[in-house]
């Protein structure tokens, strides 16, 4: 990963800071260089080639070859086991060049493998961890088999059984909508290990590590088989299939953790994968925003570029604001896994709910500027439509939006803002302490250090100048959410929750996003410089518009500031992320 530096110089590709004060990485990452300019027509790993593979419903082979040569799998293996995984936020930054190009490539080549391996890093014994680390470092892939179509995201009702047998277990049942079933070197399978009772106990399921599926292919066909591939409209290059087991023998040492610990292990690993999925998903918006700006700057209408028209400027600046908000929340959630593990589960679920929603809404806005071109499946901007198709599938993953809301909802009534606020390290790129999966909690702490950042900023005198214009509305909304959450009856805090209760989780999510933006704006770099207060004013007004909870902004000046920043970054060859870096692509 690259390190950021901060000065007051003008932005350049060798860069220091952007005009609004964001520190810029000092050099492009290796994947950015290896994948090259996605608009170059002769680039075998450009948009044209990625779209062609997607239309064929095939994995993007040229892209996978580059990732294999770069040893991307090492990013998913903890440093203590010989890999390069140290910080979750750093992993997200490293994956962005892949997801800018093709979400199916990012999911199919590696993210599915990470989702499976996280269970091993969380609960595996020394031998299991060593075997899986070697498998990944040798370039192998893993599948993770949670889903059963008839049960959706309800893991507690999953039916596939692992019955006790001499020397281990026998598996009975099916798993569907599983990625890479036909080309993975191993799988982690979520299976019922106790008889079905009248209600779930939380200890009904276990996780089993199947290290070598080639051995299973040698079993009689009535014991194990791979199910046919399922085709999808988005993520079309991902090979979604399934496993069918009928008395398939599994050795006792396949058990991950203890019997009955499958749900708790999976839910802790979800906290990490939710953050990675949300953070990497922002890259789809970043790529589309650059592309649509490129289109609008090169197309002339009424004697001037489309990007100079007020409506176009507003759409582009609004999408840029959405990207900043999504990036700030995703980064804070990822770093909280290391810094505030007692609350990280709540933040991870919030990011997994809100960030894809922001990305999808902003992509839809950008498609308006492309017009009918947004429906094309060829041409230099067809990838925007592909990203819009892909984000819907990526946002579901192993847990959809409502599932994430139901993770957050039970914790809202007990929230307290009496502890210290999160420190500046939650919002920067300093090396975090090592990730400790055992410290991640299934039920979050009552203290909320991230939301306390917002509460303290609202109480401060004087307030941050970028916060002042919207402070009254944010204070009223914060007090209202805390008050209404405390009044929720127990029956409204679980799966039977109505729309008003679920709406509280969305309002909480917007407040967390505001807190992440406030924390980002308040941080200082090595030179003492801070983010321009106009940035904070603009993104907080955007949160008000998107959430519908604050007064509608009437002054276009804050968005104008963001549009200028957008243009400056494009001209300087910098990404549009919350933490910009040089990128290998050209404007018109």
């Amino acid at each position: 990963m690259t390190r950021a530096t901060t000065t007051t110089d003008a932005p350049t590709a060798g860069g220091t800071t952007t005009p609004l004060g964001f520190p810029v990485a000092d050099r492009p990452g290796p994947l950015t260089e290896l994948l090259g300019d996605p608009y170059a027509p002769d680039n075998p790993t450009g948009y044209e080639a990625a779209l062609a593979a997607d239309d064929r419903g095939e994995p993007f082979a040229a892209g996978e070859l580059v990732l294999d040569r770069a040893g991307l799998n090492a990013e998913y293996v903890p440093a203590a086991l010989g890999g390069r995984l140290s910080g979750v936020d750093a992993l997200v930054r490293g994956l962005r060049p892949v997801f800018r190009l093709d979400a199916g490539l990012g999911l199919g080549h590696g993210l599915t493998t990470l989702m499976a391996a996280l269970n091993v890093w969380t609960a595996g014994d020394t031998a299991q961890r060593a075997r899986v680390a070697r498998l990944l470092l040798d370039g192998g892939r893993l599948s993770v088999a949670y889903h059963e179509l008839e049960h959706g995201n309800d893991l507690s009702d999953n039916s596939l059984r692992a019955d006790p047998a001499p020397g281990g277990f026998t598996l009975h049942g099916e798993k569907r909508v599983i990625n890479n079933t036909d080309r993975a070197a191993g799988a982690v399978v979520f299976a019922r290990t106790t008889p079905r009772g009248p209600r779930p106990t939380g200890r009904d399921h276990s996780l089993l590590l199947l290290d070598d599926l080639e051995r299973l292919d040698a079993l009689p066909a009535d014991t194990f088989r791979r199910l046919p591939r399922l085709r999808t409209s988005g993520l079309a290059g991902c090979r979604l299939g399934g496993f069918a087991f009928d008395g398939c023998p599994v050795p006792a040492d396949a058990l991950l953790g203890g019997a009955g610990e499958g749900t708790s292990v999976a839910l802790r690993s979800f906290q990490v994968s939710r953050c990675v999925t949300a953070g990497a998903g922002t890259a789809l918006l970043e790529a589309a925003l650059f592309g649509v700006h490129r289109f609008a700057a090169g197309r002339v209408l009424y004697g001037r570029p489309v990007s100079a028209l007020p409506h176009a400027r507003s759409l582009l600046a609004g999408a840029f604001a959405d990207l900043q908000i999504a990036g700030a929340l995703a980064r804070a959630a990822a770093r909280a896994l290391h810094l505030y593990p007692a609350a990280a589960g709540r933040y991870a679920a919030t990011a997994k709910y809100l960030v894809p929603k922001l990305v999808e809404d902003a992509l839809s806005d950008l498609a308006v500027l492309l017009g009918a071109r947004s429906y094309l499946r060829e041409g230099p901007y067809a990838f925007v439509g592909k990203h819009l198709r892909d984000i819907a599938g990526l946002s579901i993953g192993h847990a959809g939006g409502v599932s994430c809301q139901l993770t957050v909802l039970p914790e809202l009534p007990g929230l307290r803002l009496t502890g210290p606020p999160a420190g500046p390290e939650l919002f920067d790129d300093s090396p975090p302490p090592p990730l400790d999966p055992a410290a991640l909690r299934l039920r979050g702490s009552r203290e909320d250090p991230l939301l306390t950042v917002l509460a303290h900023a609202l109480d401060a005198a004087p307030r941050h100048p970028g916060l002042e214009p919207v402070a009254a509305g944010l204070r009223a909304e914060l007090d209202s959410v805390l008050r209404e959450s405390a009044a929720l009856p127990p029956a409204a805090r679980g799966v039977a929750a109505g729309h008003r209760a679920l709406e509280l989780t969305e309002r909480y999510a917007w407040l967390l996003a505001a807190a992440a933006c406030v924390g980002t704006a308040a941080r200082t770099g090595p030179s003492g410089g801070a983010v321009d207060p106009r940035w904070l004013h603009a993104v907080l007004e955007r949160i008000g518009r998107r959430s519908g909870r604050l007064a509608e902004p009437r002054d276009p000046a804050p968005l104008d500031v963001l549009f200028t920043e957008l243009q400056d970054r494009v001209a300087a060859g910098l990404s549009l992320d919350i933490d910009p870096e040089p990128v290998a692509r050209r404007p018109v």
Side-chain angles (χ1 to χ4, degrees), residues 112-113 116-117 119-120 132 135 141-146 171 178-181 184-190 207-214 216 224 226 243 245 250 254 256:
T112 295
T113 292
N119 295 288
V120 183
V132 170
L135 185 155
R141 294 183 178 88
L142 289 175
S143 284
V144 59
Y146 292 124
L171 293 177
I178 309 303
N179 198 17
N180 286 339
T181 54
V188 173
V189 177
F190 187 82
L207 285 166
L208 300 172
L209 172 63
L210 312 182
D211 290 76
D212 187 354
L213 292 188
E214 292 181 1
L216 296 182
F224 168 78
R226 291 183 171 94
F243 298 132
F245 302 96
V250 174
L256 281 173

mmCIF file of all heavy atoms in Angstrom, residues 112-113 116-117 119-120 132 135 141-146 171 178-181 184-190 207-214 216 224 226 243 245 250 254 256:
data_model
loop_
_atom_site.group_PDB
_atom_site.id
_atom_site.type_symbol
_atom_site.label_atom_id
_atom_site.label_comp_id
_atom_site.label_asym_id
_atom_site.label_seq_id
_atom_site.Cartn_x
_atom_site.Cartn_y
_atom_site.Cartn_z
ATOM 1 N N THR A 112 -14.870 -13.661 -2.803
ATOM 2 C CA THR A 112 -15.516 -14.886 -2.328
ATOM 3 C C THR A 112 -14.536 -15.724 -1.508
ATOM 4 O O THR A 112 -14.894 -16.291 -0.467
ATOM 5 C CB THR A 112 -16.046 -15.698 -3.512
ATOM 6 O OG1 THR A 112 -17.088 -14.963 -4.161
ATOM 7 C CG2 THR A 112 -16.603 -17.039 -3.052
ATOM 8 N N THR A 113 -13.310 -15.819 -1.975
ATOM 9 C CA THR A 113 -12.277 -16.544 -1.239
ATOM 10 C C THR A 113 -12.055 -15.933 0.137
ATOM 11 O O THR A 113 -11.942 -16.647 1.147
ATOM 12 C CB THR A 113 -10.967 -16.550 -2.044
ATOM 13 O OG1 THR A 113 -11.139 -17.356 -3.210
ATOM 14 C CG2 THR A 113 -9.810 -17.102 -1.225
ATOM 15 N N ALA A 116 -14.802 -16.853 2.623
ATOM 16 C CA ALA A 116 -14.629 -18.205 3.162
ATOM 17 C C ALA A 116 -13.475 -18.254 4.152
ATOM 18 O O ALA A 116 -13.593 -18.803 5.255
ATOM 19 C CB ALA A 116 -14.390 -19.189 2.022
ATOM 20 N N ALA A 117 -12.338 -17.653 3.772
ATOM 21 C CA ALA A 117 -11.138 -17.750 4.598
ATOM 22 C C ALA A 117 -11.302 -17.048 5.937
ATOM 23 O O ALA A 117 -10.686 -17.456 6.936
ATOM 24 C CB ALA A 117 -9.945 -17.162 3.846
ATOM 25 N N ASN A 119 -13.607 -17.205 8.010
ATOM 26 C CA ASN A 119 -14.060 -18.173 9.001
ATOM 27 C C ASN A 119 -12.897 -19.000 9.548
ATOM 28 O O ASN A 119 -12.872 -19.356 10.731
ATOM 29 C CB ASN A 119 -15.104 -19.113 8.379
ATOM 30 C CG ASN A 119 -16.372 -18.405 7.983
ATOM 31 O OD1 ASN A 119 -17.167 -17.998 8.816
ATOM 32 N ND2 ASN A 119 -16.579 -18.243 6.681
ATOM 33 N N VAL A 120 -11.941 -19.279 8.676
ATOM 34 C CA VAL A 120 -10.767 -20.060 9.100
ATOM 35 C C VAL A 120 -9.868 -19.193 9.982
ATOM 36 O O VAL A 120 -9.374 -19.658 11.019
ATOM 37 C CB VAL A 120 -10.000 -20.583 7.876
ATOM 38 C CG1 VAL A 120 -8.816 -21.447 8.315
ATOM 39 C CG2 VAL A 120 -10.927 -21.386 6.972
ATOM 40 N N VAL A 132 -5.001 -23.537 4.748
ATOM 41 C CA VAL A 132 -5.728 -22.574 3.921
ATOM 42 C C VAL A 132 -4.806 -21.444 3.483
ATOM 43 O O VAL A 132 -4.890 -20.965 2.342
ATOM 44 C CB VAL A 132 -6.956 -22.038 4.684
ATOM 45 C CG1 VAL A 132 -7.582 -20.859 3.948
ATOM 46 C CG2 VAL A 132 -7.977 -23.152 4.855
ATOM 47 N N LEU A 135 -2.944 -22.813 0.593
ATOM 48 C CA LEU A 135 -3.825 -22.939 -0.560
ATOM 49 C C LEU A 135 -3.978 -21.586 -1.264
ATOM 50 O O LEU A 135 -3.871 -21.483 -2.485
ATOM 51 C CB LEU A 135 -5.189 -23.470 -0.109
ATOM 52 C CG LEU A 135 -6.251 -23.800 -1.146
ATOM 53 C CD1 LEU A 135 -7.222 -24.848 -0.587
ATOM 54 C CD2 LEU A 135 -7.055 -22.575 -1.570
ATOM 55 N N ARG A 141 -8.551 -20.981 -4.912
ATOM 56 C CA ARG A 141 -9.757 -20.263 -4.509
ATOM 57 C C ARG A 141 -10.568 -21.105 -3.541
ATOM 58 O O ARG A 141 -10.480 -22.329 -3.521
ATOM 59 C CB ARG A 141 -10.629 -19.926 -5.723
ATOM 60 C CG ARG A 141 -10.009 -18.948 -6.699
ATOM 61 C CD ARG A 141 -10.979 -18.628 -7.825
ATOM 62 N NE ARG A 141 -10.439 -17.652 -8.745
ATOM 63 C CZ ARG A 141 -9.697 -17.933 -9.802
ATOM 64 N NH1 ARG A 141 -9.391 -19.198 -10.058
ATOM 65 N NH2 ARG A 141 -9.249 -16.987 -10.577
ATOM 66 N N LEU A 142 -11.398 -20.414 -2.761
ATOM 67 C CA LEU A 142 -12.342 -21.072 -1.868
ATOM 68 C C LEU A 142 -13.759 -20.632 -2.209
ATOM 69 O O LEU A 142 -13.983 -19.501 -2.637
ATOM 70 C CB LEU A 142 -12.062 -20.698 -0.407
ATOM 71 C CG LEU A 142 -10.818 -21.256 0.280
ATOM 72 C CD1 LEU A 142 -10.680 -20.642 1.673
ATOM 73 C CD2 LEU A 142 -10.890 -22.764 0.372
ATOM 74 N N SER A 143 -14.713 -21.533 -1.999
ATOM 75 C CA SER A 143 -16.131 -21.178 -2.009
ATOM 76 C C SER A 143 -16.615 -21.137 -0.571
ATOM 77 O O SER A 143 -16.035 -21.783 0.310
ATOM 78 C CB SER A 143 -16.953 -22.207 -2.796
ATOM 79 O OG SER A 143 -16.799 -22.039 -4.175
ATOM 80 N N VAL A 144 -17.686 -20.397 -0.342
ATOM 81 C CA VAL A 144 -18.312 -20.397 0.977
ATOM 82 C C VAL A 144 -19.792 -20.702 0.781
ATOM 83 O O VAL A 144 -20.487 -20.005 0.042
ATOM 84 C CB VAL A 144 -18.070 -19.068 1.718
ATOM 85 C CG1 VAL A 144 -18.606 -17.875 0.938
ATOM 86 C CG2 VAL A 144 -18.649 -19.112 3.121
ATOM 87 N N ALA A 145 -20.257 -21.765 1.414
ATOM 88 C CA ALA A 145 -21.601 -22.283 1.174
ATOM 89 C C ALA A 145 -22.498 -21.984 2.361
ATOM 90 O O ALA A 145 -22.657 -22.806 3.274
ATOM 91 C CB ALA A 145 -21.544 -23.790 0.895
ATOM 92 N N TYR A 146 -23.070 -20.781 2.368
ATOM 93 C CA TYR A 146 -24.056 -20.413 3.384
ATOM 94 C C TYR A 146 -25.479 -20.643 2.879
ATOM 95 O O TYR A 146 -26.331 -21.168 3.564
ATOM 96 C CB TYR A 146 -23.935 -18.923 3.739
ATOM 97 C CG TYR A 146 -22.688 -18.497 4.453
ATOM 98 C CD1 TYR A 146 -21.874 -17.490 3.933
ATOM 99 C CD2 TYR A 146 -22.321 -19.071 5.664
ATOM 100 C CE1 TYR A 146 -20.738 -17.062 4.592
ATOM 101 C CE2 TYR A 146 -21.181 -18.651 6.335
ATOM 102 C CZ TYR A 146 -20.393 -17.650 5.792
ATOM 103 O OH TYR A 146 -19.271 -17.232 6.455
ATOM 104 N N LEU A 171 -22.665 -35.489 5.133
ATOM 105 C CA LEU A 171 -23.437 -34.318 4.716
ATOM 106 C C LEU A 171 -24.645 -34.740 3.881
ATOM 107 O O LEU A 171 -24.534 -35.617 3.010
ATOM 108 C CB LEU A 171 -22.560 -33.377 3.891
ATOM 109 C CG LEU A 171 -21.410 -32.676 4.618
ATOM 110 C CD1 LEU A 171 -20.605 -31.836 3.651
ATOM 111 C CD2 LEU A 171 -21.943 -31.817 5.747
ATOM 112 N N ILE A 178 -23.931 -20.328 -4.882
ATOM 113 C CA ILE A 178 -22.583 -20.338 -4.317
ATOM 114 C C ILE A 178 -21.601 -20.017 -5.443
ATOM 115 O O ILE A 178 -21.649 -20.636 -6.512
ATOM 116 C CB ILE A 178 -22.252 -21.717 -3.702
ATOM 117 C CG1 ILE A 178 -23.352 -22.155 -2.737
ATOM 118 C CG2 ILE A 178 -20.901 -21.674 -3.015
ATOM 119 C CD1 ILE A 178 -23.624 -21.204 -1.619
ATOM 120 N N ASN A 179 -20.708 -19.063 -5.190
ATOM 121 C CA ASN A 179 -19.771 -18.637 -6.226
ATOM 122 C C ASN A 179 -18.592 -19.593 -6.330
ATOM 123 O O ASN A 179 -18.106 -20.120 -5.318
ATOM 124 C CB ASN A 179 -19.269 -17.222 -5.908
ATOM 125 C CG ASN A 179 -18.664 -16.537 -7.119
ATOM 126 O OD1 ASN A 179 -18.883 -16.947 -8.259
ATOM 127 N ND2 ASN A 179 -17.893 -15.492 -6.884
ATOM 128 N N ASN A 180 -18.146 -19.822 -7.565
ATOM 129 C CA ASN A 180 -16.930 -20.590 -7.864
ATOM 130 C C ASN A 180 -17.033 -22.063 -7.488
ATOM 131 O O ASN A 180 -16.013 -22.704 -7.211
ATOM 132 C CB ASN A 180 -15.708 -19.976 -7.165
ATOM 133 C CG ASN A 180 -15.254 -18.692 -7.816
ATOM 134 O OD1 ASN A 180 -15.554 -18.428 -8.978
ATOM 135 N ND2 ASN A 180 -14.540 -17.863 -7.068
ATOM 136 N N THR A 181 -18.236 -22.636 -7.481
ATOM 137 C CA THR A 181 -18.352 -24.049 -7.096
ATOM 138 C C THR A 181 -17.639 -24.970 -8.071
ATOM 139 O O THR A 181 -17.249 -26.084 -7.693
ATOM 140 C CB THR A 181 -19.833 -24.460 -7.020
ATOM 141 O OG1 THR A 181 -20.490 -24.142 -8.259
ATOM 142 C CG2 THR A 181 -20.542 -23.755 -5.883
ATOM 143 N N ALA A 184 -13.280 -23.957 -7.420
ATOM 144 C CA ALA A 184 -12.637 -23.701 -6.133
ATOM 145 C C ALA A 184 -11.864 -24.930 -5.672
ATOM 146 O O ALA A 184 -12.263 -26.069 -5.927
ATOM 147 C CB ALA A 184 -13.682 -23.330 -5.094
ATOM 148 N N ALA A 185 -10.762 -24.697 -4.987
ATOM 149 C CA ALA A 185 -9.949 -25.787 -4.454
ATOM 150 C C ALA A 185 -10.441 -26.248 -3.087
ATOM 151 O O ALA A 185 -9.927 -27.219 -2.540
ATOM 152 C CB ALA A 185 -8.495 -25.357 -4.350
ATOM 153 N N GLY A 186 -11.409 -25.561 -2.528
ATOM 154 C CA GLY A 186 -11.948 -25.932 -1.223
ATOM 155 C C GLY A 186 -13.191 -25.118 -0.938
ATOM 156 O O GLY A 186 -13.544 -24.202 -1.682
ATOM 157 N N ALA A 187 -13.860 -25.462 0.145
ATOM 158 C CA ALA A 187 -15.085 -24.752 0.507
ATOM 159 C C ALA A 187 -15.278 -24.779 2.008
ATOM 160 O O ALA A 187 -14.838 -25.705 2.701
ATOM 161 C CB ALA A 187 -16.298 -25.380 -0.188
ATOM 162 N N VAL A 188 -15.953 -23.747 2.515
ATOM 163 C CA VAL A 188 -16.430 -23.722 3.891
ATOM 164 C C VAL A 188 -17.944 -23.875 3.824
ATOM 165 O O VAL A 188 -18.618 -23.089 3.134
ATOM 166 C CB VAL A 188 -16.040 -22.407 4.592
ATOM 167 C CG1 VAL A 188 -16.694 -22.313 5.968
ATOM 168 C CG2 VAL A 188 -14.524 -22.304 4.719
ATOM 169 N N VAL A 189 -18.478 -24.866 4.518
ATOM 170 C CA VAL A 189 -19.898 -25.218 4.421
ATOM 171 C C VAL A 189 -20.573 -25.011 5.773
ATOM 172 O O VAL A 189 -20.084 -25.493 6.807
ATOM 173 C CB VAL A 189 -20.077 -26.679 3.957
ATOM 174 C CG1 VAL A 189 -21.553 -27.061 3.916
ATOM 175 C CG2 VAL A 189 -19.446 -26.878 2.585
ATOM 176 N N PHE A 190 -21.691 -24.296 5.749
ATOM 177 C CA PHE A 190 -22.505 -24.045 6.939
ATOM 178 C C PHE A 190 -23.559 -25.149 7.015
ATOM 179 O O PHE A 190 -24.373 -25.303 6.102
ATOM 180 C CB PHE A 190 -23.161 -22.675 6.811
ATOM 181 C CG PHE A 190 -23.893 -22.199 8.035
ATOM 182 C CD1 PHE A 190 -23.205 -21.612 9.084
ATOM 183 C CD2 PHE A 190 -25.272 -22.319 8.120
ATOM 184 C CE1 PHE A 190 -23.878 -21.148 10.202
ATOM 185 C CE2 PHE A 190 -25.955 -21.851 9.233
ATOM 186 C CZ PHE A 190 -25.253 -21.269 10.284
ATOM 187 N N LEU A 207 -19.559 -25.004 11.150
ATOM 188 C CA LEU A 207 -18.863 -24.759 9.895
ATOM 189 C C LEU A 207 -17.868 -25.883 9.639
ATOM 190 O O LEU A 207 -17.133 -26.295 10.548
ATOM 191 C CB LEU A 207 -18.126 -23.423 9.947
ATOM 192 C CG LEU A 207 -18.993 -22.174 9.832
ATOM 193 C CD1 LEU A 207 -18.206 -20.939 10.233
ATOM 194 C CD2 LEU A 207 -19.542 -22.013 8.418
ATOM 195 N N LEU A 208 -17.846 -26.363 8.410
ATOM 196 C CA LEU A 208 -16.951 -27.443 8.019
ATOM 197 C C LEU A 208 -16.041 -26.968 6.896
ATOM 198 O O LEU A 208 -16.503 -26.353 5.929
ATOM 199 C CB LEU A 208 -17.751 -28.662 7.559
ATOM 200 C CG LEU A 208 -18.698 -29.260 8.611
ATOM 201 C CD1 LEU A 208 -19.570 -30.325 7.986
ATOM 202 C CD2 LEU A 208 -17.908 -29.846 9.771
ATOM 203 N N LEU A 209 -14.776 -27.253 7.022
ATOM 204 C CA LEU A 209 -13.788 -26.876 6.025
ATOM 205 C C LEU A 209 -13.487 -28.077 5.141
ATOM 206 O O LEU A 209 -12.958 -29.091 5.612
ATOM 207 C CB LEU A 209 -12.503 -26.392 6.710
ATOM 208 C CG LEU A 209 -11.298 -26.135 5.804
ATOM 209 C CD1 LEU A 209 -11.587 -25.014 4.812
ATOM 210 C CD2 LEU A 209 -10.061 -25.809 6.652
ATOM 211 N N LEU A 210 -13.835 -27.975 3.874
ATOM 212 C CA LEU A 210 -13.530 -29.011 2.891
ATOM 213 C C LEU A 210 -12.361 -28.499 2.067
ATOM 214 O O LEU A 210 -12.519 -27.642 1.198
ATOM 215 C CB LEU A 210 -14.750 -29.287 2.006
ATOM 216 C CG LEU A 210 -16.082 -29.496 2.737
ATOM 217 C CD1 LEU A 210 -17.195 -29.810 1.740
ATOM 218 C CD2 LEU A 210 -15.969 -30.609 3.767
ATOM 219 N N ASP A 211 -11.204 -29.038 2.333
ATOM 220 C CA ASP A 211 -9.980 -28.477 1.769
ATOM 221 C C ASP A 211 -9.743 -28.826 0.316
ATOM 222 O O ASP A 211 -9.028 -28.122 -0.375
ATOM 223 C CB ASP A 211 -8.759 -28.972 2.559
ATOM 224 C CG ASP A 211 -8.684 -28.380 3.946
ATOM 225 O OD1 ASP A 211 -9.459 -28.835 4.804
ATOM 226 O OD2 ASP A 211 -7.879 -27.463 4.147
ATOM 227 N N ASP A 212 -10.281 -29.920 -0.137
ATOM 228 C CA ASP A 212 -9.906 -30.384 -1.470
ATOM 229 C C ASP A 212 -11.127 -30.976 -2.153
ATOM 230 O O ASP A 212 -11.460 -32.135 -1.974
ATOM 231 C CB ASP A 212 -8.787 -31.432 -1.367
ATOM 232 C CG ASP A 212 -8.236 -31.822 -2.743
ATOM 233 O OD1 ASP A 212 -8.812 -31.367 -3.745
ATOM 234 O OD2 ASP A 212 -7.263 -32.570 -2.799
ATOM 235 N N LEU A 213 -11.805 -30.170 -2.953
ATOM 236 C CA LEU A 213 -13.016 -30.654 -3.612
ATOM 237 C C LEU A 213 -12.702 -31.649 -4.729
ATOM 238 O O LEU A 213 -13.583 -32.377 -5.163
ATOM 239 C CB LEU A 213 -13.800 -29.470 -4.168
ATOM 240 C CG LEU A 213 -14.409 -28.544 -3.116
ATOM 241 C CD1 LEU A 213 -15.313 -27.517 -3.763
ATOM 242 C CD2 LEU A 213 -15.194 -29.327 -2.085
ATOM 243 N N GLU A 214 -11.462 -31.685 -5.195
ATOM 244 C CA GLU A 214 -11.129 -32.684 -6.207
ATOM 245 C C GLU A 214 -11.290 -34.094 -5.655
ATOM 246 O O GLU A 214 -11.670 -35.018 -6.368
ATOM 247 C CB GLU A 214 -9.704 -32.454 -6.713
ATOM 248 C CG GLU A 214 -9.549 -31.163 -7.508
ATOM 249 C CD GLU A 214 -8.143 -30.972 -8.025
ATOM 250 O OE1 GLU A 214 -7.308 -31.876 -7.768
ATOM 251 O OE2 GLU A 214 -7.884 -29.942 -8.658
ATOM 252 N N LEU A 216 -13.568 -34.947 -3.598
ATOM 253 C CA LEU A 216 -14.994 -35.218 -3.595
ATOM 254 C C LEU A 216 -15.483 -35.603 -4.977
ATOM 255 O O LEU A 216 -16.439 -36.378 -5.110
ATOM 256 C CB LEU A 216 -15.760 -33.998 -3.078
ATOM 257 C CG LEU A 216 -15.479 -33.608 -1.626
ATOM 258 C CD1 LEU A 216 -16.335 -32.419 -1.237
ATOM 259 C CD2 LEU A 216 -15.763 -34.775 -0.686
ATOM 260 N N PHE A 224 -21.895 -37.006 -3.858
ATOM 261 C CA PHE A 224 -21.599 -35.573 -4.026
ATOM 262 C C PHE A 224 -21.666 -35.204 -5.496
ATOM 263 O O PHE A 224 -21.198 -35.946 -6.361
ATOM 264 C CB PHE A 224 -20.196 -35.245 -3.502
ATOM 265 C CG PHE A 224 -19.714 -33.882 -3.898
ATOM 266 C CD1 PHE A 224 -20.168 -32.753 -3.234
ATOM 267 C CD2 PHE A 224 -18.826 -33.704 -4.967
ATOM 268 C CE1 PHE A 224 -19.735 -31.487 -3.605
ATOM 269 C CE2 PHE A 224 -18.394 -32.446 -5.343
ATOM 270 C CZ PHE A 224 -18.857 -31.333 -4.654
ATOM 271 N N ARG A 226 -21.758 -31.411 -8.123
ATOM 272 C CA ARG A 226 -21.895 -29.965 -8.301
ATOM 273 C C ARG A 226 -23.166 -29.697 -9.095
ATOM 274 O O ARG A 226 -23.408 -30.340 -10.116
ATOM 275 C CB ARG A 226 -20.670 -29.396 -9.018
ATOM 276 C CG ARG A 226 -19.401 -29.429 -8.169
ATOM 277 C CD ARG A 226 -18.257 -28.768 -8.947
ATOM 278 N NE ARG A 226 -17.088 -28.587 -8.119
ATOM 279 C CZ ARG A 226 -16.079 -29.461 -8.050
ATOM 280 N NH1 ARG A 226 -16.130 -30.582 -8.738
ATOM 281 N NH2 ARG A 226 -15.038 -29.216 -7.277
ATOM 282 N N PHE A 243 -23.806 -27.056 -4.454
ATOM 283 C CA PHE A 243 -23.341 -28.373 -4.058
ATOM 284 C C PHE A 243 -24.539 -29.207 -3.625
ATOM 285 O O PHE A 243 -25.455 -28.694 -2.967
ATOM 286 C CB PHE A 243 -22.371 -28.302 -2.872
ATOM 287 C CG PHE A 243 -21.107 -27.534 -3.143
ATOM 288 C CD1 PHE A 243 -20.670 -26.574 -2.242
ATOM 289 C CD2 PHE A 243 -20.344 -27.781 -4.270
ATOM 290 C CE1 PHE A 243 -19.503 -25.872 -2.468
ATOM 291 C CE2 PHE A 243 -19.173 -27.075 -4.505
ATOM 292 C CZ PHE A 243 -18.745 -26.119 -3.596
ATOM 293 N N PHE A 245 -25.211 -32.842 -1.545
ATOM 294 C CA PHE A 245 -24.597 -33.910 -0.749
ATOM 295 C C PHE A 245 -25.662 -34.942 -0.394
ATOM 296 O O PHE A 245 -26.783 -34.594 -0.022
ATOM 297 C CB PHE A 245 -24.020 -33.347 0.550
ATOM 298 C CG PHE A 245 -22.987 -32.266 0.355
ATOM 299 C CD1 PHE A 245 -23.356 -30.930 0.417
ATOM 300 C CD2 PHE A 245 -21.662 -32.574 0.121
ATOM 301 C CE1 PHE A 245 -22.423 -29.919 0.265
ATOM 302 C CE2 PHE A 245 -20.716 -31.580 -0.039
ATOM 303 C CZ PHE A 245 -21.089 -30.241 0.030
ATOM 304 N N VAL A 250 -17.258 -36.665 5.633
ATOM 305 C CA VAL A 250 -16.376 -35.546 5.946
ATOM 306 C C VAL A 250 -15.610 -35.907 7.217
ATOM 307 O O VAL A 250 -16.224 -36.328 8.207
ATOM 308 C CB VAL A 250 -17.176 -34.248 6.163
ATOM 309 C CG1 VAL A 250 -16.275 -33.123 6.626
ATOM 310 C CG2 VAL A 250 -17.893 -33.851 4.883
ATOM 311 N N ALA A 254 -12.483 -31.585 9.902
ATOM 312 C CA ALA A 254 -13.035 -30.537 9.049
ATOM 313 C C ALA A 254 -13.777 -29.478 9.866
ATOM 314 O O ALA A 254 -14.023 -28.374 9.370
ATOM 315 C CB ALA A 254 -13.982 -31.142 8.017
ATOM 316 N N LEU A 256 -14.671 -26.452 11.974
ATOM 317 C CA LEU A 256 -14.038 -25.170 12.301
ATOM 318 C C LEU A 256 -14.564 -24.697 13.645
ATOM 319 O O LEU A 256 -15.767 -24.469 13.800
ATOM 320 C CB LEU A 256 -14.360 -24.119 11.231
ATOM 321 C CG LEU A 256 -13.554 -24.174 9.933
ATOM 322 C CD1 LEU A 256 -14.116 -23.191 8.921
ATOM 323 C CD2 LEU A 256 -12.092 -23.882 10.191
#
